[in-house]
Amino acid sequence: MTQTTNNKPAATVAYGLIKGVIWGNPGKDDKPPFYSVQYTRSYTDDDGNWKDTHSFSEIDNLKLQYLIPKVTERILELKAADRKATNAE
């Protein structure tokens, strides 16, 4: 499976300050791996430190409409790589 070890994301897709972090999860009982997504928005606090939030404004929601299909495409690519790796074994 693509990148599940060491608690690292399998991929990250960004659009401006909005990003979708894709996490790989091993399949159980001989089932194929699956993926989950965490969407975040980056911002700076009053001290200038970068933070992430799961709260989105109405404008961010429009950006998510663009980002979600890109994340879906990336997940399909990861699944294709998983199938190719499984067939090569």
Side-chain angles (χ1 to χ4, degrees), residues 59-74:
I59 298 299
D60 295 333
N61 196 44
L62 294 172
K63 293 177 183 177
L64 281 168
Q65 287 180 332
Y66 173 82
L67 184 62
I68 289 170
K70 302 296 182 194
V71 169
T72 302
E73 282 179 34
R74 185 65 182 119

Side-chain angles (χ1 to χ4, degrees), residues 11 13 22 37 39 66-80:
V13 181
I22 303 168
V37 181
Y39 291 98
Y66 173 82
L67 184 62
I68 289 170
K70 302 296 182 194
V71 169
T72 302
E73 282 179 34
R74 185 65 182 119
I75 290 171
L76 291 173
E77 291 169 356
L78 292 168
K79 286 184 160 198

